[in-house]
């Protein structure tokens, strides 16, 4: 639907606590950046805790099309690059039970 | 309301004409309350300089640290190990990118950071100036040096500078895979043939001292620690982090049937502290100043990579003139 009775939109990013990342929460219509911040504050910081807001013109955002989503798909098993892909504790325990290891100190434990 | 774009060029927004002393009081109160400092906040110049030095050094260490490991990618013993090692090297270079962005938020451009590494004036972790001689070295590096780095990074994550702290969250997540992968290599060798066990022990023998030195000179040698701890740039002293490493990893090294090449190493029951032989700090200084076994090679490889990447930078600069098409 084409309409030029509306101002442009601004994407709103909200920061809950100093040091946290800014998180996208929605968008507002506004004639300029300053108004966008004011409206964003009214819309998104009424009661949720907020220490800072960013607004970005929606037209500045470039997105990947969803029909390209398969490029994010791992074609192969990628467990080799995840910490959970390695069961090291289990391997050490198993090796100790089979006496394949000879701990140098008695107090060597978990 | 003052509008600003905090990411492009930080503008200090709370510089409201108060005296430096007054601003320092507010700054210290905020840090003491556990608040994060952002690029747009006023900060003491020594805080800024110290963070630049530290984060730049950290970023350089990620890049240079990937070089010795990268040498072993073609020689990895199995396909899975090759994939994992490649993934680790890719992660480390990504960490450098994140960290260089953090330095930029403090006002130092990336071009300067890169140039300082290439011309040899920038520092990086000393441990990467030693050569990885066998496949077991790859295991020891990924397990124990990454473990040492993780202990330090988990502390720094609680530091006061917002962008550094946020970058470290992601970095620590990825490091946990590096450590597991390294430990896994070591367990394979420790439970393997006599030849493999000897190879692992030999790697530990050569890397132990550089690892103990990884945490930096002893506390008595550092001058600014108090202020840096108060500003939460440092979270623990070098010696305290070293002790924490011994606590967590000495038992795990012993558990694999390895012996640690330091006859003095033991936990003192009374003080609860580990006793150990100090690494040779004179040698440490000598290597840091550029006279270690691999300093020249590391920088030369880095320079070669930089030169060979020149066409990519040129292509990107040309592409900067093309218009991206926004979605509507
Ligand atoms: Fe890393
Ligand atoms: Fe790592």
């Amino acid at each position: 639907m084409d309409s030029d009775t509306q101002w442009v939109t601004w994407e709103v990013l909200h920061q809950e606590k100093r040091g946290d990342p800014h998180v996208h929460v929605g968008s507002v219509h506004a004639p300029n950046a300053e108004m966008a911040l004011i409206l964003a504050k009214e819309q998104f910081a009424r009661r949720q805790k907020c220490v800072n807001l960013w607004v970005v013109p929606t037209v500045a955002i470039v997105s990947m099309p969803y029909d390209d989503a398969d490029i994010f798909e791992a074609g192969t098993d990628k467990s080799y690059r995840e910490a959970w892909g390695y069961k090291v504790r289990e391997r050490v325990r198993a090796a100790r039970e089979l006496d394949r290891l000879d701990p140098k100190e008695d107090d060597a434990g978990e | 309301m003052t509008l600003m774009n905090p990411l492009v060029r930080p503008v200090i927004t709370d510089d409201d004409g108060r005296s430096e002393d007054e601003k320092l009081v507010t700054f210290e109160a905020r840090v003491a309350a556990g608040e994060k400092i952002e690029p747009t906040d006023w900060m003491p110049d020594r805080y800024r300089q110290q963070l630049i030095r530290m984060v730049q050094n950290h970023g350089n260490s990620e890049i240079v640290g990937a070089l010795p490991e990268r040498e072993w990618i073609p020689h990895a013993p199995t396909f899975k190990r090759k994939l994992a090692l490649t993934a680790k090297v890719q992660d480390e270079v990504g960490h450098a990118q994140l960290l260089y962005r953090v330095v930029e938020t403090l006002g130092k451009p990336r071009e300067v950071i890169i140039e300082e590494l290439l011309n040899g004036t920038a520092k990086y972790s000393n441990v990467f100036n030693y050569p990885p001689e066998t496949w077991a070295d790859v295991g020891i590096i990924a397990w124990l040096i990454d473990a040492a780095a993780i202990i330090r990074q988990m502390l720094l994550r609680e530091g006061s500078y917002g962008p550094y702290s946020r970058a470290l969250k992601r970095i620590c997540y990825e490091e946990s895979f590096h450590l597991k992968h390294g430990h896994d290599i070591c367990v394979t060798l420790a439970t393997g043939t006599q030849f493999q066990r000897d190879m692992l022990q030999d790697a530990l023998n050569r890397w132990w001292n550089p690892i103990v030195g990884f945490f930096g000179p002893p506390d008595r040698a550092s001058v600014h620690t108090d202020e840096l701890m108060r500003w939460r740039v440092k979270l623990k002293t070098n010696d305290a982090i070293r002790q924490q490493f011994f606590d967590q990893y000495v038992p795990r090294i012993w558990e694999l049937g390895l012996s640690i090449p330091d006859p003095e190493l033991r936990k003192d029951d009374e003080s609860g502290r580990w006793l150990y032989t100090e690494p040779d700090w004179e040698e440490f200084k000598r290597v840091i100043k550029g006279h270690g076994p691999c300093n020249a090679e590391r920088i030369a490889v880095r320079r070669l990579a930089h030169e060979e990447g020149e066409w990519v930078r040129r292509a990107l600069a040309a592409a900067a003139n093309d218009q991206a098409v926004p979605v509507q």
Side-chain angles (χ1 to χ4, degrees):
Chain A
M1 204 176 8
D2 226 69
S3 158
D4 40 26
T5 62
Q6 292 269 34
W7 291 313
V8 294
T9 55
W10 303 73
E11 300 303 317
V12 181
L13 293 98
H14 171 275
Q15 189 187 35
E16 191 175 305
K17 197 169 108 242
R18 289 191 71 109
D20 278 1
H22 286 67
V23 177
H24 182 244
V25 285
S27 57
V28 291
H29 283 280
N32 59 34
E34 183 167 10
M35 270 313 292
L37 278 174
I38 291 171
L39 293 168
K41 172 177 172 289
E42 295 311 315
Q43 183 66 275
F44 295 104
R46 279 201 302 276
R47 52 178 74 75
Q48 197 190 346
K49 198 169 174 290
C50 180
V51 295
N52 193 247
L53 288 169
W54 287 349
V55 290
V56 183
T58 304
V59 293
I61 292 175
V62 181
S63 155
M64 274 192 173
Y66 277 104
D67 41 352
D68 264 3
D70 53 341
I71 70 164
F72 298 114
E73 215 102 309
T76 51
D77 171 17
K78 287 209 177 180
S79 58
Y80 65 84
R81 70 188 306 158
E82 300 284 353
W84 52 258
Y86 298 88
K87 305 285 175 238
V88 198
R89 298 305 317 158
E90 286 84 335
R91 294 189 64 199
V92 172
R93 211 168 295 131
R96 288 183 73 172
E97 274 161 20
L98 293 171
D99 235 5
R100 302 278 308 266
L101 291 167
D102 158 35
K104 282 288 178 290
E105 299 280 321
D106 292 340
D107 56 349
E110 289 290 293
Chain B
M1 181 161 32
T2 329
L3 304 185
M4 58 181 173
N5 184 330
L7 297 181
V8 178
R9 185 171 301 133
V11 179
I12 307 302
T13 52
D14 58 351
D15 198 353
D16 47 10
R18 290 170 304 152
S19 73
E20 294 278 297
D21 285 348
E22 285 169 319
K23 282 186 269 191
L24 182 63
V25 170
T26 322
F27 169 87
E28 292 202 331
R30 286 187 46 202
V31 172
E35 271 187 44
K36 300 289 182 199
I37 303 300
E38 296 297 334
T40 47
D41 295 330
W42 181 89
M43 60 188 88
D45 196 51
R46 276 208 306 283
Y47 177 86
R48 182 186 300 275
Q49 297 313 328
Q50 181 66 23
L51 270 167
I52 289 177
R53 201 184 62 79
M54 217 169 86
V55 184
Q56 182 177 355
N57 184 317
H58 186 176
N60 291 339
S61 304
E62 300 281 356
I63 281 223
V64 178
L67 298 180
E69 302 193 287
R70 152 197 166 283
E71 285 173 31
W72 276 93
I73 293 174
H75 311 291
T78 69
F79 189 58
K80 190 179 169 189
R81 294 286 191 224
K82 196 191 294 275
L83 284 170
L85 186 58
T86 309
K88 177 181 195 295
V89 166
Q90 187 187 26
D91 283 350
E92 306 296 14
V93 176
H95 296 169
Q97 309 267 10
L98 295 174
L99 294 165
Y100 285 173
R101 280 294 299 128
V102 173
V103 181
E104 285 188 291
T105 67
L106 291 157
K108 186 165 191 172
R110 191 159 61 161
E111 285 70 17
V112 179
I113 302 170
I114 291 170
E115 175 53 31
E116 285 178 356
L117 181 57
L118 293 176
N119 69 23
T121 52
K123 297 231 164 35
Y124 53 84
S125 188
N126 212 23
V127 80
F128 301 120
N129 285 319
Y130 294 87
E133 290 175 11
T134 70
W135 174 251
D137 292 35
V138 177
I140 292 287
I141 292 171
W143 182 26
L144 297 177
I145 296 182
D146 280 63
I150 289 171
I151 291 182
R152 193 154 71 175
Q153 289 168 171
M154 298 240 285
L155 286 165
L156 288 170
R157 197 173 58 179
E158 307 308 315
S160 59
Y161 190 54
Y164 192 30
S165 169
R166 289 189 291 273
L168 283 169
K169 262 191 201 156
R170 185 197 164 117
I171 290 176
C172 287
Y173 172 78
E174 295 183 345
E175 293 293 353
S176 64
F177 139 62
H178 304 170
L179 181 140
K180 286 279 178 118
H181 169 238
H183 197 183
D184 199 67
I185 293 175
C186 292
V187 171
T188 299
L189 296 174
T191 54
T193 62
Q194 190 59 45
F195 185 84
Q196 287 174 310
R197 290 185 213 206
D198 292 346
M199 188 164 80
L200 185 62
Q201 181 64 58
D202 172 62
L204 180 65
N205 293 348
R206 282 177 292 108
W207 286 93
W208 181 253
N209 268 320
I211 290 170
V212 176
F214 177 86
F215 302 96
D219 297 344
R220 56 185 142 73
S222 39
V223 211
H224 304 299
T225 300
D226 282 355
E227 186 178 73
L228 296 178
M229 300 264 277
R230 194 168 70 244
W231 289 347
R232 295 181 75 78
V233 171
K234 267 192 149 188
L235 279 289
K236 272 189 181 182
T237 68
N238 294 352
D239 284 336
I241 308 178
R242 205 174 349 251
Q243 290 288 328
Q244 190 180 336
F245 174 80
F246 290 146
D247 262 332
Q248 284 176 252
Y249 287 91
V250 169
R252 297 198 162 185
I253 296 171
W254 281 339
E255 175 184 62
L256 295 190
L258 294 163
S259 45
I260 293 172
D262 177 0
E264 303 300 321
L265 184 80
R266 68 188 166 81
K267 192 162 186 171
D268 181 45
D269 286 336
E270 237 165 77
S271 63
R273 289 176 65 82
W274 289 86
L275 306 175
Y276 60 98
T277 311
E278 291 272 349
D280 181 349
W281 294 112
E282 286 312 309
E283 135 114 2
F284 181 84
K285 269 191 231 155
R286 205 175 52 78
V287 176
I288 259 194
K289 288 209 176 101
H291 307 291
C294 297
N295 301 56
E297 182 190 326
R298 299 282 179 258
I299 298 302
V301 171
R302 185 65 204 100
R303 189 173 296 129
L304 185 72
H306 189 73
E307 285 163 6
E308 289 185 343
E310 167 63 24
W311 70 270
V312 180
R313 290 191 295 281
R314 251 187 294 127
L316 285 173
N321 302 320
D322 293 348
Q323 208 49 266
V325 186
V327 263
Q328 271 300 296

